[in-house]
Amino acid sequence: MTSPDLTPSDLTPSGLAPSAEPWQRYFSFSTDHKVIGIQYLITSFGFLLIGGLLAMLMRAELLTPALNVVSRELYDGLFTMHGTVMIFLWTIPTFVGLANYLVPLMIGARDMAFPKLNAIAFWILPAAGVLLLSSFFLPGGSAQSGWWSYPPLSTQIAASDGLLCGQINGQSVWIISMVLIGISSIMAAVNFVTTILWMRAPGMTLFKMPIFVWTMLSAQLMQLIFLPSLTGALILLLFDLNFGTHFFQPFEGGNPVLYEHLFWFYSHPAVYIWALPAWGVFSEVIPAFTRNPLFGYRSVAIATFTFVPITGVVWVHHMFASGTPGWMRTFFMFTTELVAVPTGIKVFAWTATIWRSRLHLDTPLLFAMGGVVMFVLAGITGVMLGVLPFDLHVNNTYFIVGHFHYIVFNTIVMAYFAGIYYWFPKLTGRMYSENWGRLHFGLVFIGANLNFFPMFPLGLQGMLRRVSSYDPQYADWNVLASLGAFFLGVSTLPFIVNIIVSWMQGTPAEDNPWYATGLEWQTTSPPPKENFEEIPVVTLLPYSYGDSRYSVQDTSSL
Amino acid sequence: MSNSSQSPPKLVSKTVEIIFFVVWTTITILLSYWLGQASYSWMPPQATLEAEKVDGLFSFLVTLGSVIFLGVFGMIGHSVLVCRAKKGDFSEGHPVRSNTGLELLWTGIPILLVLWISVQGLHVYSLLDLKGLSTFAHTHTGTELAQARSGTGLLTAAAAAPENTIEVTAKQWAWSFHYLDQNITTDELHLLVNQPVHLVLKSADVLHGFYVPAFRIKQDIIPNRAIDFVFSPILEGEYRLQDSQFSGTFFPLMVAKVQVESAAAFQQWRSQLASQPHPPLITDLSAAERAHPSNLWGQRWSSQQAIQPANQPANQPATIKNATASSSKSS
């Protein structure tokens, strides 16, 4: 396998000298996948903080039943923007960033297949994000119809809400930002799929790829297959909104349920586009800190890939309470429940890997195990939600909000933290502070459960999502959830301190401080511009923790 | 595979593992059973026959889910307690990479489990019979054509009678209820206890949702469509109807009183209505708040607020009256 075609200007003389380049390159149009990876990670982390602040404002409003902090319009803008920012500017790009850094290293390539496309895909993102957030300053404020933007509500815009006779309003800015982010996602997806399929090192067959690479391949394939449906729906919505068409207008022959179908045909698979890379991180971290091969590697790889077809036939479970005929409800209940099978294979594989192992309870493993345990709860509530009659009770209540926050925060963000700590030495060439890392884990674990668990009883009792005021019977659990949200906000501080201080003056890291398998650990920390002095030849199966190179007694740290 | 390190010494004795296994299995079974029973108390009152079925299903799901959660939690917890590596010991834990039998088992059993769960769900859904009125033809355009179900539903012939049909209209941000038999429109939904109800759900503007938590069931309302909805109240009392599909700024205020009552009380309410000189007015809780905007953060946006339902049908069932300020907040 050859290295990718690089233009001569990419091959600077300092190519193989690690960390000799100035920090300014992170603000340049760099085509180095490692620089782009860090750019993604830092940009998206900024959006995480913004999205988190929006969430804390919402929880401040929900601390008491009555409306007393923000206006109803602003509250609706807050939850719309919170959802949009967290999904499209944090979760998806942050794992694209992590994978941008890691995938070429993990498969033994020198860069991504299309380095310039990679850089363009990244630079669209901050522009689209700033555009989206700027809509807060329009006369009528930002979009206020939720991240689903169901018509005809989302097309109810008055001329005074926007500029240029209402043409530039919160909703239209939201749509344009979403389409831009979608273009960025497609560019990244083309790049990842091509890179993984064509640029693997000699000997790196598909079934020797680490599971993280498998999850990225599957997730990015899903982007290619399903994202066009959302983009199409959004463009039709923009036409309805600004140019007087009636695609989704019920009183003019349009069909609002059609929008729901087009929206969820992407947005359900999207859930796996967020979650698969997180499961990939678990599958890397758990073997490294339990010193066991990933149990049932082959079935985990296959299970990962089966999500691609299965997610294509489950979207209607988001519409069980909509105008959905009985046969369709029933069919999608059965297909939805099937998702539990490949998910179960993964959970059991991680559990079996942990079982009878040699645990090193370092920060990455704490986050990974905490994430797995909370993911089991998320999965169980997901199976419950797939059961049609129960869903008809809790649909659109806080039970759903609790369920998907156990996925997006208590699983995916936990995996993100696990991954950042795990690969921090590789990314920066320095070690993070273990004590601060453990403190961070403790705070996040408490805060996350305090914040999101109360949402289950609230939903069972019938509290609906997207309400800016609520009946006093729901007050107690809401106080707990709000306290949890503020706690969770504060818990981010030790992480930020740890990362910044360690990056600047942490102990220099060895090339492979964890004795982990994986090609990324065979090069220097941080890797040279060309990643490897010589492209490695892969002979071992992945996760060969019994190999003499990895199964060692390290007396230096005693 | 080459392996220079000697086969790792056992960290836990077989006996400890067996004792752990027995104790934890017992705890799992007892705790799961208890959680399943306790789950009934996590729900609102069971005010319909449908609620009893849904709660039974939920209890089953909680029991099964608890077994799985506690099982996985026990395995991981046990490992955390007894399988810690010594500092600097990076030797392999166990070399087992896979076990085809085990992997087939944990693929096959979940398939059977989710089939079992789905069949249970299907069974309960068939009992709900939410749209079982397809055989009962009425004249609304766009009426749902659900397939006929025979005999399984809770619906009796009584509900199919047109005089028991109530037309529910959702409009930003108020509910109105039109009793076909007496041709009156009210802002409260009064229902007879132990009598199946047939609602026809309509929206005058955007998507809405019909949801009474004590009834357990929910149905989105789609503009320009009439959707049948059938259920059977069994517990007298006052309940709250809430809009369950986000419908804009005053969405949380879109609530209405639902009264499930005896035939005598129902007749009394009816005759009271009939004796009034004017048709009752529809309460819109948002009107008071719009008349007296509070000075909250972000209120600037609402000074621009001029949302008019874009595509409103011409004939509205009733006029809108302003609610008193006292009832407008904190719903």
mmCIF file with all atom_site columns, all heavy atoms in Angstrom, chain A residues 59 63 69 124 135 140 143 157 170 223 226 268 335 372 389 398 410 448 541:
data_model
loop_
_atom_site.group_PDB
_atom_site.id
_atom_site.type_symbol
_atom_site.label_atom_id
_atom_site.label_alt_id
_atom_site.label_comp_id
_atom_site.label_asym_id
_atom_site.label_entity_id
_atom_site.label_seq_id
_atom_site.pdbx_PDB_ins_code
_atom_site.Cartn_x
_atom_site.Cartn_y
_atom_site.Cartn_z
_atom_site.occupancy
_atom_site.B_iso_or_equiv
_atom_site.pdbx_formal_charge
_atom_site.auth_seq_id
_atom_site.auth_comp_id
_atom_site.auth_asym_id
_atom_site.auth_atom_id
_atom_site.pdbx_PDB_model_num
ATOM 1   N N   . ARG A 1 59  ? -32.121 24.944  32.694 1.00 0.00 ? 59  ARG A N   1
ATOM 2   C CA  . ARG A 1 59  ? -32.339 24.329  34.011 1.00 0.00 ? 59  ARG A CA  1
ATOM 3   C C   . ARG A 1 59  ? -32.599 25.393  35.065 1.00 0.00 ? 59  ARG A C   1
ATOM 4   O O   . ARG A 1 59  ? -33.289 25.138  36.046 1.00 0.00 ? 59  ARG A O   1
ATOM 5   C CB  . ARG A 1 59  ? -31.154 23.451  34.416 1.00 0.00 ? 59  ARG A CB  1
ATOM 6   C CG  . ARG A 1 59  ? -30.977 22.125  33.711 1.00 0.00 ? 59  ARG A CG  1
ATOM 7   C CD  . ARG A 1 59  ? -32.184 21.230  33.595 1.00 0.00 ? 59  ARG A CD  1
ATOM 8   N NE  . ARG A 1 59  ? -33.082 21.182  34.726 1.00 0.00 ? 59  ARG A NE  1
ATOM 9   C CZ  . ARG A 1 59  ? -34.210 20.479  34.749 1.00 0.00 ? 59  ARG A CZ  1
ATOM 10  N NH1 . ARG A 1 59  ? -34.581 19.756  33.720 1.00 0.00 ? 59  ARG A NH1 1
ATOM 11  N NH2 . ARG A 1 59  ? -34.990 20.499  35.798 1.00 0.00 ? 59  ARG A NH2 1
ATOM 12  N N   . LEU A 1 63  ? -35.966 25.401  37.444 1.00 0.00 ? 63  LEU A N   1
ATOM 13  C CA  . LEU A 1 63  ? -35.774 25.212  38.891 1.00 0.00 ? 63  LEU A CA  1
ATOM 14  C C   . LEU A 1 63  ? -37.087 25.401  39.627 1.00 0.00 ? 63  LEU A C   1
ATOM 15  O O   . LEU A 1 63  ? -37.339 24.754  40.643 1.00 0.00 ? 63  LEU A O   1
ATOM 16  C CB  . LEU A 1 63  ? -34.714 26.213  39.369 1.00 0.00 ? 63  LEU A CB  1
ATOM 17  C CG  . LEU A 1 63  ? -34.060 26.010  40.726 1.00 0.00 ? 63  LEU A CG  1
ATOM 18  C CD1 . LEU A 1 63  ? -33.421 24.636  40.826 1.00 0.00 ? 63  LEU A CD1 1
ATOM 19  C CD2 . LEU A 1 63  ? -32.982 27.076  40.941 1.00 0.00 ? 63  LEU A CD2 1
ATOM 20  N N   . VAL A 1 69  ? -37.412 33.313  34.742 1.00 0.00 ? 69  VAL A N   1
ATOM 21  C CA  . VAL A 1 69  ? -36.034 33.690  34.411 1.00 0.00 ? 69  VAL A CA  1
ATOM 22  C C   . VAL A 1 69  ? -35.955 34.272  32.998 1.00 0.00 ? 69  VAL A C   1
ATOM 23  O O   . VAL A 1 69  ? -35.464 35.368  32.795 1.00 0.00 ? 69  VAL A O   1
ATOM 24  C CB  . VAL A 1 69  ? -35.079 32.489  34.550 1.00 0.00 ? 69  VAL A CB  1
ATOM 25  C CG1 . VAL A 1 69  ? -33.679 32.878  34.111 1.00 0.00 ? 69  VAL A CG1 1
ATOM 26  C CG2 . VAL A 1 69  ? -35.066 32.003  35.988 1.00 0.00 ? 69  VAL A CG2 1
ATOM 27  N N   . ILE A 1 124 ? -15.534 24.876  7.227  1.00 0.00 ? 124 ILE A N   1
ATOM 28  C CA  . ILE A 1 124 ? -16.961 25.211  7.091  1.00 0.00 ? 124 ILE A CA  1
ATOM 29  C C   . ILE A 1 124 ? -17.612 25.279  8.476  1.00 0.00 ? 124 ILE A C   1
ATOM 30  O O   . ILE A 1 124 ? -18.494 26.090  8.736  1.00 0.00 ? 124 ILE A O   1
ATOM 31  C CB  . ILE A 1 124 ? -17.677 24.158  6.221  1.00 0.00 ? 124 ILE A CB  1
ATOM 32  C CG1 . ILE A 1 124 ? -17.210 24.278  4.767  1.00 0.00 ? 124 ILE A CG1 1
ATOM 33  C CG2 . ILE A 1 124 ? -19.192 24.312  6.300  1.00 0.00 ? 124 ILE A CG2 1
ATOM 34  C CD1 . ILE A 1 124 ? -17.782 23.204  3.865  1.00 0.00 ? 124 ILE A CD1 1
ATOM 35  N N   . SER A 1 135 ? -27.863 34.164  14.982 1.00 0.00 ? 135 SER A N   1
ATOM 36  C CA  . SER A 1 135 ? -29.309 34.358  14.846 1.00 0.00 ? 135 SER A CA  1
ATOM 37  C C   . SER A 1 135 ? -29.951 34.798  16.160 1.00 0.00 ? 135 SER A C   1
ATOM 38  O O   . SER A 1 135 ? -31.074 35.282  16.173 1.00 0.00 ? 135 SER A O   1
ATOM 39  C CB  . SER A 1 135 ? -29.972 33.076  14.333 1.00 0.00 ? 135 SER A CB  1
ATOM 40  O OG  . SER A 1 135 ? -29.868 32.059  15.283 1.00 0.00 ? 135 SER A OG  1
ATOM 41  N N   . GLY A 1 140 ? -36.377 38.944  15.801 1.00 0.00 ? 140 GLY A N   1
ATOM 42  C CA  . GLY A 1 140 ? -37.295 37.954  16.373 1.00 0.00 ? 140 GLY A CA  1
ATOM 43  C C   . GLY A 1 140 ? -36.575 36.829  17.081 1.00 0.00 ? 140 GLY A C   1
ATOM 44  O O   . GLY A 1 140 ? -37.200 35.859  17.497 1.00 0.00 ? 140 GLY A O   1
ATOM 45  N N   . ALA A 1 143 ? -34.088 30.527  15.930 1.00 0.00 ? 143 ALA A N   1
ATOM 46  C CA  . ALA A 1 143 ? -35.129 29.535  15.668 1.00 0.00 ? 143 ALA A CA  1
ATOM 47  C C   . ALA A 1 143 ? -35.719 29.066  16.987 1.00 0.00 ? 143 ALA A C   1
ATOM 48  O O   . ALA A 1 143 ? -35.009 28.940  17.984 1.00 0.00 ? 143 ALA A O   1
ATOM 49  C CB  . ALA A 1 143 ? -34.544 28.367  14.888 1.00 0.00 ? 143 ALA A CB  1
ATOM 50  N N   . ILE A 1 157 ? -43.604 32.319  10.624 1.00 0.00 ? 157 ILE A N   1
ATOM 51  C CA  . ILE A 1 157 ? -42.706 33.415  10.957 1.00 0.00 ? 157 ILE A CA  1
ATOM 52  C C   . ILE A 1 157 ? -43.338 34.716  10.490 1.00 0.00 ? 157 ILE A C   1
ATOM 53  O O   . ILE A 1 157 ? -43.811 34.802  9.359  1.00 0.00 ? 157 ILE A O   1
ATOM 54  C CB  . ILE A 1 157 ? -41.337 33.229  10.265 1.00 0.00 ? 157 ILE A CB  1
ATOM 55  C CG1 . ILE A 1 157 ? -40.699 31.907  10.707 1.00 0.00 ? 157 ILE A CG1 1
ATOM 56  C CG2 . ILE A 1 157 ? -40.416 34.401  10.552 1.00 0.00 ? 157 ILE A CG2 1
ATOM 57  C CD1 . ILE A 1 157 ? -40.116 31.908  12.083 1.00 0.00 ? 157 ILE A CD1 1
ATOM 58  N N   . GLY A 1 170 ? -34.676 33.747  12.208 1.00 0.00 ? 170 GLY A N   1
ATOM 59  C CA  . GLY A 1 170 ? -33.999 32.709  12.980 1.00 0.00 ? 170 GLY A CA  1
ATOM 60  C C   . GLY A 1 170 ? -34.099 31.342  12.325 1.00 0.00 ? 170 GLY A C   1
ATOM 61  O O   . GLY A 1 170 ? -33.125 30.590  12.254 1.00 0.00 ? 170 GLY A O   1
ATOM 62  N N   . GLN A 1 223 ? -23.567 8.424   7.218  1.00 0.00 ? 223 GLN A N   1
ATOM 63  C CA  . GLN A 1 223 ? -23.683 9.824   6.795  1.00 0.00 ? 223 GLN A CA  1
ATOM 64  C C   . GLN A 1 223 ? -23.950 9.877   5.292  1.00 0.00 ? 223 GLN A C   1
ATOM 65  O O   . GLN A 1 223 ? -24.839 10.598  4.840  1.00 0.00 ? 223 GLN A O   1
ATOM 66  C CB  . GLN A 1 223 ? -22.386 10.601  7.099  1.00 0.00 ? 223 GLN A CB  1
ATOM 67  C CG  . GLN A 1 223 ? -22.106 10.845  8.553  1.00 0.00 ? 223 GLN A CG  1
ATOM 68  C CD  . GLN A 1 223 ? -22.820 12.082  9.090  1.00 0.00 ? 223 GLN A CD  1
ATOM 69  O OE1 . GLN A 1 223 ? -23.947 12.349  8.728  1.00 0.00 ? 223 GLN A OE1 1
ATOM 70  N NE2 . GLN A 1 223 ? -22.174 12.803  9.987  1.00 0.00 ? 223 GLN A NE2 1
ATOM 71  N N   . PHE A 1 226 ? -27.657 8.399   4.534  1.00 0.00 ? 226 PHE A N   1
ATOM 72  C CA  . PHE A 1 226 ? -28.880 8.966   5.101  1.00 0.00 ? 226 PHE A CA  1
ATOM 73  C C   . PHE A 1 226 ? -28.941 10.497  5.101  1.00 0.00 ? 226 PHE A C   1
ATOM 74  O O   . PHE A 1 226 ? -30.018 11.064  5.110  1.00 0.00 ? 226 PHE A O   1
ATOM 75  C CB  . PHE A 1 226 ? -29.085 8.441   6.531  1.00 0.00 ? 226 PHE A CB  1
ATOM 76  C CG  . PHE A 1 226 ? -29.228 6.952   6.604  1.00 0.00 ? 226 PHE A CG  1
ATOM 77  C CD1 . PHE A 1 226 ? -28.226 6.149   7.136  1.00 0.00 ? 226 PHE A CD1 1
ATOM 78  C CD2 . PHE A 1 226 ? -30.367 6.336   6.099  1.00 0.00 ? 226 PHE A CD2 1
ATOM 79  C CE1 . PHE A 1 226 ? -28.361 4.771   7.181  1.00 0.00 ? 226 PHE A CE1 1
ATOM 80  C CE2 . PHE A 1 226 ? -30.511 4.955   6.149  1.00 0.00 ? 226 PHE A CE2 1
ATOM 81  C CZ  . PHE A 1 226 ? -29.503 4.171   6.683  1.00 0.00 ? 226 PHE A CZ  1
ATOM 82  N N   . HIS A 1 268 ? -32.672 9.409   12.857 1.00 0.00 ? 268 HIS A N   1
ATOM 83  C CA  . HIS A 1 268 ? -32.459 8.237   13.686 1.00 0.00 ? 268 HIS A CA  1
ATOM 84  C C   . HIS A 1 268 ? -31.082 7.623   13.458 1.00 0.00 ? 268 HIS A C   1
ATOM 85  O O   . HIS A 1 268 ? -30.349 7.429   14.423 1.00 0.00 ? 268 HIS A O   1
ATOM 86  C CB  . HIS A 1 268 ? -33.550 7.176   13.597 1.00 0.00 ? 268 HIS A CB  1
ATOM 87  C CG  . HIS A 1 268 ? -33.215 6.092   14.581 1.00 0.00 ? 268 HIS A CG  1
ATOM 88  N ND1 . HIS A 1 268 ? -33.452 6.250   15.918 1.00 0.00 ? 268 HIS A ND1 1
ATOM 89  C CD2 . HIS A 1 268 ? -32.502 4.969   14.454 1.00 0.00 ? 268 HIS A CD2 1
ATOM 90  C CE1 . HIS A 1 268 ? -32.915 5.236   16.566 1.00 0.00 ? 268 HIS A CE1 1
ATOM 91  N NE2 . HIS A 1 268 ? -32.344 4.434   15.709 1.00 0.00 ? 268 HIS A NE2 1
ATOM 92  N N   . THR A 1 335 ? -38.771 -4.009  14.270 1.00 0.00 ? 335 THR A N   1
ATOM 93  C CA  . THR A 1 335 ? -37.427 -3.678  13.765 1.00 0.00 ? 335 THR A CA  1
ATOM 94  C C   . THR A 1 335 ? -36.627 -2.921  14.823 1.00 0.00 ? 335 THR A C   1
ATOM 95  O O   . THR A 1 335 ? -35.432 -3.145  14.991 1.00 0.00 ? 335 THR A O   1
ATOM 96  C CB  . THR A 1 335 ? -37.502 -2.822  12.493 1.00 0.00 ? 335 THR A CB  1
ATOM 97  O OG1 . THR A 1 335 ? -38.286 -1.662  12.766 1.00 0.00 ? 335 THR A OG1 1
ATOM 98  C CG2 . THR A 1 335 ? -38.097 -3.579  11.345 1.00 0.00 ? 335 THR A CG2 1
ATOM 99  N N   . VAL A 1 372 ? -20.041 2.540   30.229 1.00 0.00 ? 372 VAL A N   1
ATOM 100 C CA  . VAL A 1 372 ? -20.698 1.286   29.855 1.00 0.00 ? 372 VAL A CA  1
ATOM 101 C C   . VAL A 1 372 ? -21.886 1.020   30.785 1.00 0.00 ? 372 VAL A C   1
ATOM 102 O O   . VAL A 1 372 ? -22.983 0.679   30.332 1.00 0.00 ? 372 VAL A O   1
ATOM 103 C CB  . VAL A 1 372 ? -19.700 0.110   29.890 1.00 0.00 ? 372 VAL A CB  1
ATOM 104 C CG1 . VAL A 1 372 ? -20.426 -1.217  29.793 1.00 0.00 ? 372 VAL A CG1 1
ATOM 105 C CG2 . VAL A 1 372 ? -18.687 0.239   28.762 1.00 0.00 ? 372 VAL A CG2 1
ATOM 106 N N   . PRO A 1 389 ? -46.960 0.393   23.043 1.00 0.00 ? 389 PRO A N   1
ATOM 107 C CA  . PRO A 1 389 ? -47.948 0.935   23.987 1.00 0.00 ? 389 PRO A CA  1
ATOM 108 C C   . PRO A 1 389 ? -47.298 1.770   25.097 1.00 0.00 ? 389 PRO A C   1
ATOM 109 O O   . PRO A 1 389 ? -47.873 2.768   25.530 1.00 0.00 ? 389 PRO A O   1
ATOM 110 C CB  . PRO A 1 389 ? -48.603 -0.317  24.574 1.00 0.00 ? 389 PRO A CB  1
ATOM 111 C CG  . PRO A 1 389 ? -48.303 -1.403  23.615 1.00 0.00 ? 389 PRO A CG  1
ATOM 112 C CD  . PRO A 1 389 ? -46.977 -1.074  23.021 1.00 0.00 ? 389 PRO A CD  1
ATOM 113 N N   . TYR A 1 398 ? -40.358 13.799  29.550 1.00 0.00 ? 398 TYR A N   1
ATOM 114 C CA  . TYR A 1 398 ? -38.986 13.815  30.030 1.00 0.00 ? 398 TYR A CA  1
ATOM 115 C C   . TYR A 1 398 ? -38.371 12.422  30.107 1.00 0.00 ? 398 TYR A C   1
ATOM 116 O O   . TYR A 1 398 ? -37.156 12.295  30.239 1.00 0.00 ? 398 TYR A O   1
ATOM 117 C CB  . TYR A 1 398 ? -38.901 14.537  31.387 1.00 0.00 ? 398 TYR A CB  1
ATOM 118 C CG  . TYR A 1 398 ? -38.484 15.970  31.168 1.00 0.00 ? 398 TYR A CG  1
ATOM 119 C CD1 . TYR A 1 398 ? -39.422 16.951  30.920 1.00 0.00 ? 398 TYR A CD1 1
ATOM 120 C CD2 . TYR A 1 398 ? -37.139 16.310  31.126 1.00 0.00 ? 398 TYR A CD2 1
ATOM 121 C CE1 . TYR A 1 398 ? -39.036 18.247  30.653 1.00 0.00 ? 398 TYR A CE1 1
ATOM 122 C CE2 . TYR A 1 398 ? -36.744 17.598  30.856 1.00 0.00 ? 398 TYR A CE2 1
ATOM 123 C CZ  . TYR A 1 398 ? -37.692 18.566  30.621 1.00 0.00 ? 398 TYR A CZ  1
ATOM 124 O OH  . TYR A 1 398 ? -37.289 19.837  30.338 1.00 0.00 ? 398 TYR A OH  1
ATOM 125 N N   . ASN A 1 410 ? -24.202 10.564  29.170 1.00 0.00 ? 410 ASN A N   1
ATOM 126 C CA  . ASN A 1 410 ? -23.652 9.556   30.087 1.00 0.00 ? 410 ASN A CA  1
ATOM 127 C C   . ASN A 1 410 ? -22.954 8.410   29.366 1.00 0.00 ? 410 ASN A C   1
ATOM 128 O O   . ASN A 1 410 ? -22.247 7.614   30.002 1.00 0.00 ? 410 ASN A O   1
ATOM 129 C CB  . ASN A 1 410 ? -24.761 9.013   30.990 1.00 0.00 ? 410 ASN A CB  1
ATOM 130 C CG  . ASN A 1 410 ? -25.354 10.111  31.858 1.00 0.00 ? 410 ASN A CG  1
ATOM 131 O OD1 . ASN A 1 410 ? -25.088 11.287  31.651 1.00 0.00 ? 410 ASN A OD1 1
ATOM 132 N ND2 . ASN A 1 410 ? -26.156 9.739   32.828 1.00 0.00 ? 410 ASN A ND2 1
ATOM 133 N N   . ALA A 1 448 ? -23.774 13.848  36.331 1.00 0.00 ? 448 ALA A N   1
ATOM 134 C CA  . ALA A 1 448 ? -24.556 13.323  35.209 1.00 0.00 ? 448 ALA A CA  1
ATOM 135 C C   . ALA A 1 448 ? -25.780 12.569  35.707 1.00 0.00 ? 448 ALA A C   1
ATOM 136 O O   . ALA A 1 448 ? -26.892 12.736  35.197 1.00 0.00 ? 448 ALA A O   1
ATOM 137 C CB  . ALA A 1 448 ? -23.684 12.421  34.344 1.00 0.00 ? 448 ALA A CB  1
ATOM 138 N N   . LEU A 1 541 ? -2.946  -9.971  15.256 1.00 0.00 ? 541 LEU A N   1
ATOM 139 C CA  . LEU A 1 541 ? -4.361  -9.635  15.367 1.00 0.00 ? 541 LEU A CA  1
ATOM 140 C C   . LEU A 1 541 ? -4.480  -8.401  16.250 1.00 0.00 ? 541 LEU A C   1
ATOM 141 O O   . LEU A 1 541 ? -3.584  -8.121  17.053 1.00 0.00 ? 541 LEU A O   1
ATOM 142 C CB  . LEU A 1 541 ? -5.127  -10.802 15.996 1.00 0.00 ? 541 LEU A CB  1
ATOM 143 C CG  . LEU A 1 541 ? -5.299  -12.029 15.109 1.00 0.00 ? 541 LEU A CG  1
ATOM 144 C CD1 . LEU A 1 541 ? -5.838  -13.182 15.938 1.00 0.00 ? 541 LEU A CD1 1
ATOM 145 C CD2 . LEU A 1 541 ? -6.231  -11.719 13.961 1.00 0.00 ? 541 LEU A CD2 1
#
